[in-house]
Structures are given as structure tokens and as C-alpha cells.
């Protein structure tokens, strides 16, 4: 699309794998007059939490814990597009979406190790045909961020109990923040109990994806450079999570730690 002179918007992550993502970034860099954008995750308080972390309010970040569990992969009589490798590629559930969020708030991994599992490896699709599912349904990741903080992640699409949900915990030497990735954010300063943060309406992020893209396109048509028509995530940010996805697969396949930036 970019090579044809068109502005480019990607829904549901950047590409099927890193091999597709790199030429996309190269095309974007070769056409700075065009807008490139990926649909962001609709996390209302993400930008506010990012400001909290980057302001130093929590002090030096020491550890990060991400938990994303649900039952979206439990149905054995349905195969969604996210479970079809020819459509989803190396993407795993919502791991890529949350990778973007982690990159924005605490930065990317310096090195990571991962394990993958597919407990329900066989399903029946809508036509009654048996389908082999090889996209992981449970993911465990651990590693060190470029900031020096340690991180652990647990993703599961086969959770059968009522503890479904997602949460991000960021721990620093001066405080801790717990975000349930919905409307609730709690922060506790060192030595004090956690308490809910009443984030003002004007500090909450609304869904303005279409408006943001159209605004950037209009600015580009008016001749404004990329820094004056910013969108996030763009392909440069997207390549970071594509490297992470690749690193997760390589680590799981080899049993070794992988540095995403080297890929």
C-alpha cells in the first residue's frame, strides 16, 4: 500500500511474522510523506500510568508482572482466526497487543525466555472438519528489560475458573502501581497501603483511533512532517513487538534466552 502511494492502517497487529514486518518498516521509512499506523489497544488508563512511571513517581522500576487470562480458546467446536496460523501467523492470543503496552510503559526486553503450550491441540471448525491448532494457548515469559527491571508474564486462553482478567503490576523503589487494564488503577507509595486513583476524565484515553488516523492523513496531505502528525503505534513501534513475538517463539523452540533487539 505504501509503495503504491497510499496511507496505511493495520488492524490486529502489524504482520504475521517478523519477516513480513521488516519490509513494512522499510517501506514506511522510504515514504515519510505517508502515514503508517497500527490499531492501538483500548486501555483507558495506559497513558496515565505511563506518565506515572516516566515521571519517576514509583522510583527506579525493579519488576513488572503481567497477567492476561481468559477462556477464549476453550470452545472445541469453533476455530477463530486467531487460532489459524495462515491468518494470525506467529501472533499468540493478545500477547502482541500487550507487548505494545509494556513497551510504552516500561520499555522492551533486553533478553527473554519463554515456554509455550497448546493443551487443546485439536478442534472442530464450523464445517465439522477436524483442525489441528498449533498456536499456543498458554505462554510463560520471563526476562530482563532494557531498563534493568525484571519481568514475568502469564498468558492463558484456557482458563476455566472465574479469575479471568488482566492486570499489570509495576514495582519501583518508591512505590507500586497495579492496573487491572480496565478502569481501575491503584498506587501505593513506599511504606503505605495501596489506594485507588481517581483519574480525571480528561486524563483518560478515549477510543479515537479513526479520528487520529484521519487527522494524521490530513496533516500529511498538508505537507507536515511525521513529527508534526504523530500516531502511535506506528511501524517503528510495531517492529518492537514483532521482535518480541519472534523472540518468544525462538526461545521456546531452543530452550535458550533470546535478545529481541538482535533479531
Amino acid at each position: 500500500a505504501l509503495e503504491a502511494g497510499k496511507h496505511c492502517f493495520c488492524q490486529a497487529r502489524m504482520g504475521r511474522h517478523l519477516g513480513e514486518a521488516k519490509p513494512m518498516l522499510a517501506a514506511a521509512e522510504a515514504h515519510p510523506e505517508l502515514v503508517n499506523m497500527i490499531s492501538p489497544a483500548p486501555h483507558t488508563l495506559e497513558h496515565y500510568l505511563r506518565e506515572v512511571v516516566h515521571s519517576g513517581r514509583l522510583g527506579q522500576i525493579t519488576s513488572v508482572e503481567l497477567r492476561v487470562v481468559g477462556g477464549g480458546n476453550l470452545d472445541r467446536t469453533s476455530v477463530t482466526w486467531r487460532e489459524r496460523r495462515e491468518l494470525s501467523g506467529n501472533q499468540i492470543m493478545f500477547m502482541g497487543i500487550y507487548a505494545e503496552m509494556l513497551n510504552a510503559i516500561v520499555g522492551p526486553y533486553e533478553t527473554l525466555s519463554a515456554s509455550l503450550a497448546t493443551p487443546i491441540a485439536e478442534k472442530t471448525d464450523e464445517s465439522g472438519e477436524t483442525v489441528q491448532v498449533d498456536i499456543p494457548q498458554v505462554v510463560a515469559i520471563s526476562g530482563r528489560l532494557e531498563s534493568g527491571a525484571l519481568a514475568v508474564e502469564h498468558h492463558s486462553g484456557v482458563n476455566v475458573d472465574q479469575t479471568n482478567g488482566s492486570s499489570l503490576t509495576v514495582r519501583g523503589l518508591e512505590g507500586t502501581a497495579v492496573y487491572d487494564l480496565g478502569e481501575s488503577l491503584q498506587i501505593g507509595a513506599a511504606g503505605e497501603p495501596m489506594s485507588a486513583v481517581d483519574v480525571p476524565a480528561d486524563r483518560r484515553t478515549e477510543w479515537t483511533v479513526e479520528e487520529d488516523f484521519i487527522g494524521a492523513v490530513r496533516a500529511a496531505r498538508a505537507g507536515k512532517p511525521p513529527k508534526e502528525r504523530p500516531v502511535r503505534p506506528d511501524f517503528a513501534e510495531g517492529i518492537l513487538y514483532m521482535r518480541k513475538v519472534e523472540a518468544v517463539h525462538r526461545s521456546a523452540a531452543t530452550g535458550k534466552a533470546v535478545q529481541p533487539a538482535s533479531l
Side-chain angles (χ1 to χ4, degrees):
L2 291 166
E3 290 173 351
K6 305 297 182 181
H7 303 284
C8 191
F9 176 86
C10 286
Q11 172 70 30
R13 315 325 348 122
M14 187 173 177
R16 291 178 300 175
H17 48 73
L18 185 60
E20 289 184 344
K22 286 183 175 181
M24 293 170 68
L25 176 60
E29 292 174 337
H31 295 280
E33 76 282 5
L34 299 175
V35 177
N36 60 93
M37 181 180 176
I38 304 167
S39 179
H43 296 132
T44 308
L45 305 181
E46 175 189 335
H47 292 181
Y48 182 86
L49 178 56
R50 181 175 58 182
E51 292 175 4
V52 168
V53 173
H54 291 192
S55 71
R57 179 174 172 183
L58 303 181
Q60 177 185 340
I61 304 304
T62 58
S63 65
V64 178
E65 302 155 25
L66 176 64
R67 175 181 171 275
V68 184
V69 297
N73 296 88
L74 286 170
D75 189 351
R76 290 171 169 81
T77 62
S78 175
V79 184
T80 70
W81 68 268
R82 291 186 184 278
E83 296 175 292
R84 296 183 181 274
R85 188 170 291 276
E86 68 272 21
L87 300 177
S88 194
N90 284 345
Q91 313 301 334
I92 303 173
M93 298 179 287
F94 299 101
M95 189 184 75
I97 296 175
Y98 288 104
E100 291 170 350
M101 181 191 69
L102 284 177
N103 288 339
I105 295 175
V106 295
Y109 280 89
E110 177 182 79
T111 183
L112 65 79
S113 298
S115 296
L116 309 175
T118 311
I120 304 177
E122 190 173 278
K123 292 189 174 187
T124 303
D125 66 12
E126 292 74 9
S127 66
E129 295 293 324
T130 299
V131 176
Q132 299 297 320
V133 179
D134 64 348
I135 293 182
Q137 297 155 344
V138 182
V139 181
I141 305 170
S142 64
R144 183 183 301 274
L145 303 181
E146 290 183 355
S147 67
L150 300 186
V152 294
E153 298 182 41
H154 174 59
H155 301 263
S156 175
V158 290
N159 217 44
V160 298
D161 56 40
Q162 298 301 310
T163 61
N164 295 351
S166 306
S167 65
L168 171 66
T169 301
V170 182
R171 304 181 189 277
L173 291 178
E174 302 298 331
T176 299
V178 179
Y179 179 28
D180 73 351
L181 304 184
E183 298 297 319
S184 172
L185 173 65
Q186 297 185 69
I187 297 179
E192 298 181 3
M194 302 292 292
S195 61
V197 178
D198 184 14
V199 180
D202 62 356
R203 303 292 298 282
R204 295 171 177 262
T205 304
E206 301 298 330
W207 180 265
T208 59
V209 176
E210 297 84 359
E211 179 182 350
D212 294 344
F213 180 67
I214 292 171
V217 168
R218 288 174 173 166
R221 288 177 175 175
K224 293 185 178 180
K227 65 180 181 181
E228 295 182 23
R229 49 175 170 83
V231 293
R232 71 164 297 266
D234 60 9
F235 285 3
E237 188 172 354
I239 205 75
L240 296 179
Y241 82 73
M242 292 302 299
R243 286 193 178 109
K244 175 183 177 180
V245 172
E246 181 72 17
V248 165
H249 281 281
R250 291 197 187 188
S251 176
T254 63
K256 299 178 180 180
V258 177
Q259 295 179 319
S262 68
L263 301 177

